[in-house]
Amino acid sequence: MSTSPLAGQLLPLDLLVDLPKLIDAYYANKPDVGIPEQRVTFGTSGHRGSSFTTSFNENHVLAISQAIYDYRTKEGITGPLFLGIDTHALSEPAQISAVEVLAANGVDIMLAQGGEYTPTPAISHAILTYNRGRTSGLADGIVITPSHNPPDNGGFKYNPPNGGPADSDITNWVQARANELLENNLQGVKRIDYQQAIKLATTHNFDYINHYVSDLYNVIDVEAIRGANVQIGADPLGGAGVNYWSAIAERYQLNLKVLNTAVDKTFSFMTADWDGKIRMDPSSAYTMQGMVERRNLFDVAFACDADHDRHGIVTPSAGLLPPNHYLAVAIEYLFQHRPQWKADTAIGKTVVSSAMIDKVAQKLGRRLYEVPVGFKWFAPGLFDGSLGFGGEESAGASFLRIDGSVWATDKDGIIPSLLAAEIKAKTGRDPGERYKALADEFGYAAEARVEAPANTAQKKALSKLSPAQITSTELAGDRIETILTHAPGNNAAIGGIKVISNSGWFAARPSGTEEIYKIYAESFKGKEHLQELIAEAQTIVDKAIS
């Protein structure tokens, strides 16, 4: 994984996405269902692709929209559909395509007032607050976003009535139906002209910003932040929350400065990620370089990705916090400052998140709910209040309202960001200082994620490994204590393997898109031990899958 010389730099103009060509390709390129890369494919966060590679085009969106309507009909979902888009260039044309189909099918569509961009958490929040107390006529939603992916990407996500990301039984059904419609040249897709669609009585305007922002005091102690006059820097990274931060500052009179209010669909103001591509990834040090340089101007600063479902926290004491560090800090703080949460409310983490979370959970006397990668696994627990917090190592998290009821069942980048300011206000220490205290107590965790080559057969073998196939008894000098192929929290397959010793662990999972597998590793014995652990992990996995 070599780092590009462009990493951390602003890209020259000739390397930015050509917007007119991108939009032309959305309408001109027609997918061939016989080519696997051009079919509708729902990953952990919906269908994603680029119009240049004919993997995200008008026909895809028309077919998926009809498939979602057909799914709603099958399930008897008759309430409004909350629809939002982020600031990627393909999001607006995709919204037009979706509205043409949904309106033709008679769906009550809730579009953002004034053509406003809408974060993923605002859609989840809108679905849940609409459905509260209802048993029929339930609402669901669509978010048109490829999340933090590069500017030439588009994405389409469906959220059912529980407000969270659709589970695989739903996405498999929608995917199969959408590909069937593509195979039949869109026969069975109902559609009317957009100008006609937006004039229908079933097409509504909804004030997402006000609806979401006015409710924030029920999930974050904004009075404490205001009272302590915490100096906050917020960077929307040109994403869907661009007008949310100023609305939050104004409503709650916070000392919050929005660092960039530009929406530029080439994202030319972003410094390139490790591989020289632009990504709105707030957990990447290359992407967040500008914010880290200004870290001493604020008590806490933060950024969110394009659909605002991920967070990146910057503090004067530590610079950019690795996501795992902040998850541990947020959990330790929340479970001690939310007295109305039930005593049996659990902590949710993915199998590739830090073992520091396990240590914090043990200290707090709270049950740990460990699941495979994918935020959908947390949605039911956040929905019924049995999970207080769900977090992923990729900087996605959500948590309950102060009273212990559901806030959002999808990732919410806004509330963990504001929580960083609450932590500073209530404890006098920023999240970087709070993590140092945890590390002093439990040991310093060194972590890494690396990639290793694997062909299709080897990737398939890795996804189906059994613990018996791991013959090693030691990992980097320590006895292997546990080998997992299923998550301890819900016994769901993790699609790979996790090997745990007393002082470290590694997990290996095949990539869904490339001829590689990913190794996640963590050591509580330092960086040298981590490198030893990674080398042994690769040997163990290669032996098991060859």
Side-chain angles (χ1 to χ4, degrees):
M1 215 164 73
S2 59
T3 305
S4 163
L6 293 168
Q9 311 287 321
L10 292 172
L11 290 187
L13 289 175
D14 61 328
L15 290 183
L16 297 175
V17 64
D18 184 327
L19 296 176
K21 280 188 179 170
L22 185 74
I23 303 301
D24 285 349
Y26 175 79
Y27 293 105
N29 292 357
K30 304 298 180 192
D32 177 347
V33 199
I35 300 170
E37 293 77 17
Q38 295 183 16
R39 293 173 69 82
V40 171
T41 312
F42 274 82
T44 51
S45 288
H47 173 78
R48 290 182 187 175
S50 171
S51 60
F52 288 145
T53 56
T54 321
S55 50
F56 189 90
N57 302 79
E58 182 185 34
N59 283 10
H60 291 112
V61 176
L62 296 171
I64 297 168
S65 302
Q66 182 66 48
I68 287 172
Y69 171 76
D70 294 347
Y71 173 78
R72 296 179 102 230
T73 306
K74 176 175 85 77
E75 294 298 315
I77 300 167
T78 56
L81 184 141
F82 291 92
L83 178 62
I85 64 167
D86 78 354
T87 53
H88 276 79
L90 290 173
S91 296
E92 283 185 47
Q95 176 170 260
I96 290 169
S97 305
V99 167
E100 289 179 346
V101 172
L102 296 168
N105 283 287
V107 176
D108 275 288
I109 312 165
M110 311 299 269
L111 295 178
Q113 200 167 292
E116 184 61 64
Y117 300 108
T118 308
T120 286
I123 296 284
S124 180
H125 175 266
I127 294 167
L128 290 165
T129 48
Y130 181 87
N131 288 343
R132 188 173 293 140
R134 293 176 195 265
T135 52
S136 61
L138 298 178
D140 54 3
I142 288 171
V143 197
I144 299 176
T145 172
S147 191
H148 60 294
N149 280 21
D152 69 344
N153 274 225
F156 207 89
K157 298 194 297 189
Y158 175 62
N159 287 37
N162 78 351
D167 205 344
S168 48
D169 57 343
I170 300 174
T171 54
N172 289 344
W173 194 94
V174 171
Q175 175 181 303
R177 176 66 179 138
N179 284 319
E180 184 190 337
L181 290 164
L182 286 177
E183 280 162 15
N184 294 324
N185 295 318
L186 301 181
Q187 277 180 352
V189 174
K190 286 177 79 172
R191 184 182 183 187
I192 57 172
D193 177 70
Y194 182 71
Q195 291 306 322
Q196 190 187 341
I198 55 174
K199 292 190 183 101
L200 292 178
T202 48
T203 304
H204 313 269
N205 282 322
F206 185 77
D207 187 355
Y208 285 101
I209 289 194
N210 189 47
H211 189 261
Y212 178 91
V213 171
S214 64
D215 201 14
L216 275 170
Y217 74 96
N218 283 309
V219 70
I220 295 289
D221 189 345
V222 282
E223 281 183 28
I225 300 171
R226 182 173 63 243
N229 195 30
V230 180
Q231 289 182 289
I232 304 167
D235 192 340
L237 301 182
V242 65
N243 293 324
Y244 279 63
W245 293 110
S246 52
I248 290 166
E250 196 178 320
R251 177 174 283 269
Y252 298 110
Q253 283 125 49
L254 303 183
N255 185 354
L256 184 154
K257 184 180 182 188
V258 185
L259 302 179
N260 173 23
T261 56
V263 172
D264 159 14
K265 294 181 188 303
T266 66
F267 293 90
S268 61
F269 49 77
M270 295 290 303
T271 48
D273 205 354
W274 66 273
D275 58 355
K277 291 182 180 177
I278 290 175
R279 278 188 197 85
M280 288 54 73
D281 179 359
S283 66
S284 162
Y286 298 108
T287 295
M288 294 283 279
Q289 198 163 287
M291 280 202 87
V292 174
E293 285 164 5
R294 290 180 284 183
R295 72 195 208 198
N296 291 318
L297 300 177
F298 306 99
D299 295 321
V300 289
F302 42 72
C304 293
D305 65 338
D307 69 322
H308 272 49
D309 71 346
R310 296 182 186 212
H311 60 272
I313 310 296
V314 174
T315 69
S317 68
L320 176 66
L321 262 73
N324 270 320
H325 290 198
Y326 184 58
L327 293 182
V329 167
I331 289 164
E332 192 224 14
Y333 173 84
L334 281 166
F335 282 86
Q336 294 182 90
H337 290 82
R338 294 295 186 266
Q340 289 172 266
W341 288 10
K342 293 197 293 272
D344 59 352
T345 299
I347 294 163
K349 65 166 262 193
T350 58
V351 289
V352 294
S353 300
S354 175
M356 183 67 90
I357 295 168
D358 306 45
K359 295 173 192 288
V360 168
Q362 203 172 358
K363 175 190 170 183
L364 294 167
R366 292 279 179 167
R367 181 170 66 88
L368 189 68
Y369 180 69
E370 189 174 347
V371 296
V373 173
F375 205 81
K376 65 183 182 185
W377 301 109
F378 299 130
L382 289 166
F383 185 74
D384 67 19
S386 60
L387 268 189
F389 182 98
E392 295 188 305
E393 81 301 332
S394 55
S398 189
F399 47 89
L400 297 178
R401 291 169 182 262
I402 292 167
D403 69 2
S405 64
V406 62
W407 167 259
T409 47
D410 210 330
K411 297 186 290 249
D412 187 333
I414 297 173
I415 58 170
S417 298
L418 289 170
L419 185 71
E422 182 189 323
I423 290 169
K424 173 69 177 173
K426 295 281 279 278
T427 70
R429 293 194 293 177
D430 71 41
E433 294 167 312
R434 301 275 300 185
Y435 186 78
K436 185 180 180 302
L438 285 177
D440 288 344
E441 186 177 351
F442 296 118
Y444 280 76
E447 60 180 27
R449 193 181 104 179
V450 297
E451 292 166 357
N455 61 32
T456 306
Q458 290 170 324
K459 280 168 38 177
K460 193 174 178 185
L462 174 56
S463 70
K464 292 185 163 36
L465 273 186
S466 77
Q469 287 168 270
I470 304 296
T471 53
S472 307
T473 55
E474 283 198 351
L475 177 63
D478 292 315
R479 189 170 63 83
I480 290 174
E481 294 182 349
T482 315
I483 299 171
L484 299 174
T485 54
H486 287 71
N490 59 358
N491 202 35
I494 60 179
I497 195 111
K498 182 174 182 178
V499 177
I500 307 162
S501 75
N502 189 41
S503 53
W505 60 270
F506 81 83
R509 294 175 63 241
S511 165
T513 51
E514 299 168 85
E515 296 284 270
I516 55 169
Y517 68 86
K518 296 172 185 176
I519 295 173
Y520 304 78
E522 183 176 50
S523 164
F524 280 83
K525 279 186 176 176
K527 288 184 178 170
E528 276 182 37
H529 184 253
L530 176 69
Q531 292 313 313
E532 204 181 317
L533 204 152
I534 290 167
E536 285 196 22
Q538 199 171 335
T539 305
I540 289 169
V541 173
D542 288 348
K543 186 180 170 190
I545 64 177
S546 59

